Every structure is written in C-alpha cells, then in structure tokens.
Amino acid sequence: MERMQQIVGRARAAFKSGRSRPLEFRIQQLKALERMVQEKEKEILAALKADLNKCGHNAYSHEILGVLGELALTMEKLPAWAAPQPVKKNLLTMRDEAYINYEPLGVVLVIGAWNYPFVLVMQPLIGAIAAGNAVVVKPSEVSENTAQLVAELLPQYLDKDLYPVVTGGVPETTDLLTQRFDHILYTGNTAVGKIVMAAAAKHLTPVTLELGGKSPCYIDKDCDLAVACRRITWGKYMNCGQTCIAPDYILCDPSIQGKVVENIKATLKEFYGEDVKSSPDYERIINKRHFTRVKSLLEGQKIAHGGETDEASCFIAPTILTDVSPESKVMEEEIFGPVLPIVTVKSVDEAIEFINLREKPLALYVFSNNKQLIKRVISETSSGGVTGNDVIMHFFLSTLPFGGVGHSGMGAYHGKHSFETFSHRRACLIKDLKMESTNKMRYPPGSQKKVDW
Amino acid sequence: NPYAGLVSHLRASWLSGKTRPMEYRVAQLEALGRFLDDKKQEILEATELDMGKPSFEAFFSEILLCKNELNVTLNNLCNWMKDEHVDKNLVMQLDSAFIRKDPYGVVLIIAPWNYPIHLFLVPLIGAIAAGNCAIIKPSEISKNTERLVAETLGCYLDNDCFAVVTGGVPETTRLLENKFDYIFFTGTSCSPPVGRIIMTAAAKHLTPVTLELGGKNPCYVSDTCDVTNVARRVAWGRFFNAGQTCIAPDYLLCTVEMQEKLMPALREAITEFFGPNPRESPDFGRIVSDKQFKRLRALLGSGRVALGGQTDEAERYIAPTVLADVLPSDPAMQEEVFGPILPIVVIANMDEAIDFINARPRPLAIYAFSCDSKVVNQVLERTSSGGFCGNDTLMHVTLTSLPFGGIGNSGLGKYHGKFTFDTFSHHRGCLHRNMGLETLNTPRYPPYTQQKLGLLTSTFEVKRRGTCTLL
C-alpha cells in the first residue's frame, strides 16, 4: 500500500512541477518511446512470442506497426490538437474571447490486458503523454514476459517519475486502485470493469473501460461466401481467438451453414496448412486456466471441424461448432478462444432480435451484398463499433473512436480520441473590465422593460 | 423493486424504436417548448414559493436560458444526428468510415433544487435530442416545483417514453437499483457525498455517468482593476438566487488594500441592486430550507461582518453579506458557501492566490479580475477548474458553444448545446467495407512471409511528415 502511495505520490509531484505540460517535452517523450520501439523491436517480439507464441509477423503487424503509426500521428498532430479552440460567440459575448482550453487531467492510470499486452499499454500511454499527464502503467501480469519487459524498458527511455511502471497481480492492482487518479483507462473483462469503476467512484475519477462481450457476426444469404469466410477466419483465429473484437459467433440461415463451414475449413488449410499445430503462424492459449475454460465450452457440442487439444502446449485447434443452441454454455460468455459457434436464424429480423436480446457487444459484424441490409442491421442494433463486410478493421482506423457501450465498456480512444479522453476541456470566457453598460440590463433592480429587451 | 415496472415499461418503448426518428424527437422538444410557454407563470410562482426566487431571475434562468438551449438544439439537430464521416487511411480509401450517433436507451436525470426547472430540462433536451427515453427525478427540496413538474410535464411529453419520479433519498436509492443506460446527476459532492454514491451505484451496471457537482469557486481580484465594475460583477454573481448557485464566486482572494477599496464599492453595488433594505427588494431571494438557513447563519462567525449580516429565520432571509479578513481555518472556508455570503481572504499577491487555489480541490469555476490581461492569463494557466471566466462571473455558462462541467471533485463530464447531445449519444465507430478487391487483403493473411510484412508496413504505416527521410 505504502509502495503504491509513494509511486503515485512521486508521479503527482512530478506532474505538479509542470514539466509534462510544454509541448516540446511531450513530443520529446513520444520520440523516446518511438526510439524504444525501434531499438528494442527484437526484445518486444521475443516477449510476445514467449507469452502467446505469437509469430514475428503477427506480433509486428498487430502490436508494433500500430504503435509506431499512433506515435507518428500523435507527434504530427499534437500542436493542432492541443491548441485552444475558439468557439462561436453570441451577441453578448461578441467582444470577448471565448475558447476551449485543452489541459492535462493530472495523474492517469493505464491498466493493460494480456492478449495484446504491448499495444494495449502503449496506445493509451501515447495519448496520456500527448495530453500532458503523468501516467502510471500497470501491464497485465498474465502476459508476464511483456510486463517484465515494459517495466525494464520504459524507465530507460522515459522520465522515471512521470511514467512509472507497476507490476504485480490482483493484490497489487487492488492496492493501486485505492490511490487517487485523475483518469483510469482499463482494458479487460466486464466483471473487473465494475470493480475498477467502483474504486474510481470513491475519488470521482472518470474512467474509460475497454471491456468485451460476444461480438456477433451475421452472414446474409446474399453475399460472396468465399470472401466473407476468409475474412472471418482471419479475424476469428488470429491470436488463437484471444481478441476482444474477434467475431465471437456466427448467425446465418441454416441453408448456408454447410457452405460456411466448408469455406472456413478451406481457408484454414490455406492459412495454416494441413497440420495447424506445426504452423509457425498459429498461436497458443495464454495459460492452463483459459485452456481449460475454452475446452469446456466444447462439451456436448456438434464439432464440424477441429476440436483437437493439447494441454501441455495449451493448443486448441481452430474449431467450428454447428447448430449451436442459444442456451448452451458456449453462448453464455465471451469465448476468447479459437472456437466458432454457428447459431442458425431464419431471417435478418431474427438475427437483429437475437442480438438485441443480449448485452451490447464491443463489435458487430454483418456480411451482405445488400447495402440496405447492412445499414438496417447497424441502425437497429447497438455495439461499441461496427465493420461491415469484414471483421476487426474498424480498430485500425484511428479517426474512428474505439470503445464499447453498455457491458462492453464506456469511453473511447485511438488517435485524437485518445488525446481528448486524457484531456480536460476547460471552458474559458475572457471579458473586458470595461464596457459595463452592456451588463446593466442583467443587474437588479429587475423590471419588465429589461425582461422584454 | 418499486420502480422495476416503470423502468421496464420505458425500456419496452425504447426497444420499440419510437424515440429514434428525428420527427419524433423534434415533436417532443417542441412540446417541451410549449411547456415552458404555457407554464411560465406557474414556474415563476413555484420557484418563488420554493426559495423566493425573484421573477426576473426565474425568467432568465428557468425560461430564457432553457429556450435558448431548445432552439440551438432544434436548429442543429439534423446536423448533429448525421453520420460523421472521418478521414480514411490508404487501405480504406474505397470504404465508408463514419461515426454513428446512437442513443443509449433509458437514461436517468437527477436534478437539484436551486435551478429546479433548468437543471432537469437542459439535460432532458439533450437526452431527447439524442433519441433516448428518460426518467426525470426533480428535487424534493424545491417541493412546489417538484409538484408542478410531476403534475404537468406528462401532459406535454410522451408518457410511454418519459416519466417523472418524485421523492427523497429513499426513493432515489430504490430508483438507482435499476439498470439505466446513462445517469446524469447534478448536485452536491460534499456532505453527503451523493456524487460518489451515484457513481458507485452506476458501477454495478457499468452505467456511464455525468456528474455536475460543486466546490468553492475562488475569485481573485488583482490590485490593478476597475473597482466599481469588479464589485458590480462579483456582487451580481454572488447574490443571484441568494447565492445558491453552483458557479457563484464562493470567496474572494485579494490584498488587504484591495479589500479596503472593494468594501465601499460592494456596498454601493448592493444598494444599487437591492436598495437600502434588501429584505424589501423583490429582486433578492431567500434560502430554500430551514436546514440550509441554519447552516449559513453559522458561517457568519467567520472573519468579521463588513457588510450585511442581518438574518430573519421566519423568512429564511439572509442579507447580502460580505465577510472581511476571513481565515482559511474559518467555517466559511470549510465548505461550499451556497448562500449570499462572500468571504474575503487576504493574500499578499497573485502567486500566493494561485498557490492558495492549487492547494485546494479543483473547483467548478475560477474567476480572475484584472485590467492586466497577463494577470488573467497567469491565473488561467497556472490553475485547473471546470471552467474559467476572466473579468466577470457566471457568464461563461450562458454561451452554449462552451462545455459546462467540472473536474476532480467538481464533477465529470460536460454539457450545454451540442455537448449535451454528445453526452447522451454513444459515438459508434463504423467501417463499411467493400466485398470486392479481396486481393488487397492478402498481405494480412497467413501463411506469413517477409514480403507480406513489407507490403503491410508500407500500406499501414503513418509516416511522420517533416522528418528527414534521406538517411
């Protein structure tokens, strides 16, 4: 407890010193982060491989490329984002200065997750630094190699007092959450999200919660199944299904279920070869606990493809389940593994109803050649974000806010949205001490004449 | 759960989709406008009964400002509702990328007693504009207004989608057991810590919140200023609604010389506004309850009474009062004043004033008066607060293009104008891709090769402009 108090206290003192506020300082820190990612690329990839058996290509394209892009974008745009924003004035304020001033919040806490352990601490960190805050970084202890690496590297490149890294598990995080922060960004699951928000409530700390849910994927009869299934296969099985925005389950007409299975099978062979286990491009489940959890979801299900598991290496083969009952266990919680249930529905109306009966998901996917149908599904449902005719990709456009709604979260970030999340927008009105006559009409004594004017 | 039925009724209406079309929202907003027009007299009367609110003030804050928000919203709703198309990267040039503004669903608006119509109606405008259903919980302390709202609002709004719930703390607590899709709360942050209670209740359902709380809003007056104008603007902001305003200048910070100069100017301003006996002025309000009256009366022992100080318990009248030489340890400096009492704390200079402000929780508003714009800017830059107004009080919240909200103990979230609409909308990132051109996707698929990685990097990479790429 005391240790956390000291770390946060130091960060707060460092913030109060004012040195994180000048734009030059922030850009210098971001540049240092950029150097870190470039110089330590090998170490970062090695840590990701050790934690998730992530191959170099995947690790680079999912975790490093995005971070470098975000850094470049932020350094480029920061002066424009941070500039005071003049606002439209009314008659009474015509001669005054009215603007929104972007200011840092203070000390921000970023809690990362284990599935994309590097990018999920780095991206929020970039936004928080850009907005001028001190940042306490708490990487997930489950992805322990990456956590260790982040704890070693950040102090080598960044201001040690302003941006400390705290490692540890539940007890350490619980301790950390008793401290006062000015914003908390948490990536993880819904249950812990509630705990984080309740802890934040004690200090009236605003939160951004990036949670999860079951992201539905509706495949219309009128669509190019080969293309649709290839894209779905990519998004579902990347990182062994451990992606918050992976298509969790498929909704489609029973008449195309067979074709969907065939197409996915064919794509899987194309991607990972005959023997998935020996493909260097296929990851593993993070640990035994999750392995057991995902494996148990297969019980009593019709396995149309896959189903092989190997506990020793936490391997679960890319699996497809057909004719899944909405009441089964695999349809209750977020799967977060390489198991793809197909639930059949007779129409898009049924699909929409099915989706709306459940908690709002982080992402929603719909495949169709019919633009109107896609528009309809978007309009009649709610979700954090949407990609039509593909999966995952809305995550990669930084001009789109990335976040959840309802049980899938609150708040958003990426690109400019990160900067705004970690800033206080302070309303400023600067008047003249002269020109008092225009004020007279608002002063008592009140009279009907004044009111009518 | 006594409110479960009501909440599920509203939720069913929400799921039916009837609040979503623009025409529906416009019709409800126009009905709200008619409510303000038809019930204007009743609103002025109710607020006068509740806290002696002068009709000039009531008209200004409860009718005029609300109608402004209504009109800004009606004038712009079409644009606000539109999908906001965003810049795309190289890979997505042929796709459609936009931010969709989705309603949340069923929202809860809890309002306080000091501006009892305004503080539920302005949030409600945004909630309706954004397509939500809403439960409104007005304050039981302003009981005449509560009754008016409970009895008449339903005659204007669609009762399937909008409901008023009355009651006190026990009723609000039961109401909060239900799941809402957004909670908007205006009220106190201190004792009791209702803001924290609301957020903790919201956490159980992962309900996002906006909390408009309060604090002690400091008002720094530098030595170089037009004393007459300062006194008028400060007095106006302090004594409006008998001081019961969350953004009122809570206390003054100035040098002992300025305190001397301000006193006669403040006396003159008070006399100009309310006459020689403010108790007889129709333009000066009363304290809302006996409890608040007693609390305020106890603060009069702080420092010394330089102006005013008279009280009348039967009328819940406290004269416009200025306390001089107040110490930081005095009772008046321990809590938000929220009454017609202005404590003056003497400091040596601007730096001391800034340190004083920064040693305390961040307030809803900070005011700084000076003829020297550098001084005003210094105070602005070296402090933090919800909002800031230089050389005046209160006025920054009448400009609908400025966000209104707190920071730290003074609150989280913001509203007014478009900000209210945005508060009650979920901004949903949408990418609508082309089913064709599948070959462009090949670099992302396994089996992975160095060549694919190179292609991916070159298409996805954001290069920093202005850097030397010759090396």
Side-chain angles (χ1 to χ4, degrees), chain A residues 31 55 57-58 60-61 65 69 72-73 75-76 87-90 92-93 98-100 103 105 180 182 190 193-194 197-198 200-206 209 211 223-224 227 230-231 234 270-272 281 359-360 364 367-369 371 374 378-379 381-390 393-394 396-397 399-401 404-407 410 417 424-436 439-447 450-451, chain B residues 20 56 59 86-89 91-92 97-100 102 104 179 181 189 195-196 199-200 202-208 211 213 225-226 229-230 232-233 236 272-274 283 362 366 369-371 376-377 380-381 383-393 395-396 398-399 401-403 406-409 412 414 419 426-436 438 441 443-449 452-453 456-457 460 462-465:
Chain A
K31 266 194 134 121
C55 69
H57 177 290
N58 249 2
Y60 190 87
S61 65
L65 199 55
L73 176 76
M75 286 190 279
E76 161 102 43
V87 298
K88 194 156 165 233
K89 297 183 283 196
N90 58 21
L92 273 178
T93 47
Y99 57 94
I100 299 172
E103 304 179 355
L105 290 166
R180 189 204 179 113
D182 302 300
T190 301
K194 290 181 181 175
M197 188 171 173
K202 295 201 171 66
H203 297 288
L204 290 172
T205 300
L209 303 175
L211 311 176
C223 97
D224 185 333
V227 171
R230 188 183 285 117
R231 298 178 182 187
W234 169 72
E270 199 189 304
F271 285 178
Y272 304 115
D281 302 330
E359 295 295 345
K360 297 176 192 178
L364 185 138
F367 286 83
S368 177
N369 284 327
K371 275 206 170 105
I374 293 185
I378 298 179
S379 296
T381 59
S382 184
S383 64
V386 176
T387 296
N389 288 335
D390 206 337
M393 294 301 282
H394 63 287
F396 290 112
L397 187 55
T399 45
L400 288 176
V405 65
H407 275 206
M410 59 181 80
H417 308 287
H424 171 55
R425 271 178 266 195
R426 190 177 188 195
C428 299
L429 180 66
I430 317 286
K431 305 196 72 158
D432 213 297
L433 251 187
K434 305 190 282 290
M435 298 294 292
E436 184 61 357
N439 281 344
K440 280 203 151 64
M441 67 183 126
R442 78 191 197 205
Y443 295 147
S447 69
K450 282 188 186 176
V451 163
Chain B
R20 304 187 77 140
F56 183 94
F59 178 80
V86 298
D87 285 343
K88 297 180 284 196
N89 57 27
V91 162
M92 296 168 191
F98 56 93
I99 301 173
R100 161 68 54 90
D102 276 342
Y104 276 109
K179 175 183 173 153
D181 303 301
S189 66
R196 286 170 174 77
M199 190 167 169
T200 305
K204 293 198 173 73
H205 298 285
L206 284 172
T207 301
L211 304 172
L213 308 174
C225 71
D226 181 325
N229 288 349
V230 171
R232 269 214 203 89
R233 297 175 189 193
W236 176 71
E272 193 188 305
F273 292 171
F274 309 118
D283 299 326
R362 291 181 288 189
I366 290 181
F369 285 84
S370 179
C371 284
V376 171
N377 276 318
L380 169 59
E381 274 163 34
T383 62
S384 178
S385 61
F388 180 93
C389 189
N391 292 329
D392 208 338
T393 58
M395 289 302 283
H396 59 294
T398 63
L399 193 54
S401 49
L402 283 175
I407 185 174
N409 277 11
L412 55 95
K414 56 196 171 297
F419 297 103
H426 167 57
H427 289 221
R428 191 179 185 192
C430 299
L431 180 65
H432 185 159
R433 305 210 74 198
N434 209 300
M435 212 47 123
E438 180 59 0
N441 281 339
R444 80 189 197 201
Y445 297 140
Y448 301 129
T449 63
K452 276 186 179 178
L453 190 58
L456 211 62
T457 307
F460 259 105
V462 175
K463 280 211 157 49
R464 178 108 190 273
R465 277 199 286 259

Side-chain angles (χ1 to χ4, degrees), chain B residues 1 65 97 104 108 199 203 214 247 253 277 289 291 408 413 434 453:
Chain B
N1 188 342
L65 288 182
Y104 276 109
L108 172 63
M199 190 167 169
I247 39 158
L253 288 167
N277 187 1
S289 68
K291 181 171 153 198
N434 209 300
L453 190 58

Side-chain angles (χ1 to χ4, degrees), chain A residues 170-428:
Chain A
V170 173
E172 288 80 4
T173 311
T174 309
D175 255 350
L176 198 49
L177 283 170
T178 60
Q179 299 304 308
R180 189 204 179 113
F181 293 97
D182 302 300
H183 195 100
I184 299 175
L185 187 147
Y186 166 76
T187 307
N189 67 57
T190 301
V192 178
K194 290 181 181 175
I195 296 171
V196 172
M197 188 171 173
K202 295 201 171 66
H203 297 288
L204 290 172
T205 300
V207 298
T208 299
L209 303 175
E210 299 272 327
L211 311 176
K214 294 182 77 59
S215 300
C217 179
Y218 174 67
I219 307 177
D220 189 36
K221 277 195 281 194
D222 173 20
C223 97
D224 185 333
L225 272 184
V227 171
C229 291
R230 188 183 285 117
R231 298 178 182 187
I232 291 168
T233 306
W234 169 72
K236 174 73 200 184
Y237 299 108
M238 72 163 63
N239 206 29
C240 206
Q242 298 161 121
T243 307
C244 52
I245 41 168
D248 187 276
Y249 63 97
I250 288 180
L251 290 168
C252 70
D253 191 280
S255 65
I256 57 169
Q257 189 180 214
K259 272 225 167 80
V260 168
V261 173
E262 263 174 56
N263 276 296
I264 296 178
K265 269 164 90 158
T267 309
L268 283 170
K269 204 151 104 177
E270 199 189 304
F271 285 178
Y272 304 115
E274 289 287 353
D275 179 25
V276 185
K277 204 154 172 221
S278 55
S279 163
D281 302 330
Y282 188 68
E283 290 92 347
R284 298 291 180 268
I285 301 294
I286 183 82
N287 61 25
K288 294 276 188 297
R289 181 168 73 85
H290 281 282
F291 170 87
T292 312
R293 179 187 64 77
V294 177
K295 185 173 171 194
S296 73
L297 300 176
L298 301 176
E299 279 160 35
Q301 297 295 342
K302 227 195 273 178
I303 298 178
H305 180 77
E308 300 90 1
T309 67
D310 172 36
E311 185 162 354
S313 57
C314 288
F315 166 82
I316 298 183
T319 302
I320 311 171
L321 308 173
T322 49
D323 296 315
V324 176
S325 150
E327 282 79 40
S328 52
K329 192 147 172 253
V330 75
M331 285 306 291
E332 263 171 39
E333 48 175 81
E334 187 175 355
I335 294 167
F336 226 66
V339 172
L340 180 58
I342 303 180
V343 175
T344 56
V345 288
K346 295 281 184 5
S347 64
V348 70
D349 300 279
E350 218 185 288
I352 291 173
E353 209 190 308
F354 189 95
I355 293 168
N356 287 341
L357 278 174
R358 289 165 171 69
E359 295 295 345
K360 297 176 192 178
L362 187 52
L364 185 138
Y365 303 113
V366 47
F367 286 83
S368 177
N369 284 327
N370 182 347
K371 275 206 170 105
Q372 289 316 310
L373 186 138
I374 293 185
K375 284 190 169 157
R376 195 186 145 200
V377 174
I378 298 179
S379 296
E380 293 179 25
T381 59
S382 184
S383 64
V386 176
T387 296
N389 288 335
D390 206 337
V391 297
I392 314 281
M393 294 301 282
H394 63 287
F395 177 94
F396 290 112
L397 187 55
S398 63
T399 45
L400 288 176
F402 181 70
V405 65
H407 275 206
S408 55
M410 59 181 80
Y413 72 122
H414 282 190
K416 186 174 185 202
H417 308 287
S418 296
F419 178 81
E420 294 189 342
T421 286
F422 292 114
S423 300
H424 171 55
R425 271 178 266 195
R426 190 177 188 195
C428 299

Side-chain angles (χ1 to χ4, degrees), chain A residues 88, chain B residues 22 25-26 29 71-85 98-102 129-130 417-418 421-422 425 427:
Chain A
K88 194 156 165 233
Chain B
M22 190 174 90
R25 305 183 200 187
V26 168
L29 290 171
N71 289 337
V72 165
T73 304
L74 284 166
N75 289 342
N76 293 287
L77 186 56
C78 187
N79 278 329
W80 294 352
M81 279 176 69
K82 285 198 179 123
D83 288 338
E84 208 182 295
H85 286 265
F98 56 93
I99 301 173
R100 161 68 54 90
K101 315 299 169 67
D102 276 342
K418 179 166 193 267
F421 175 85
D422 285 340
S425 317
H427 289 221

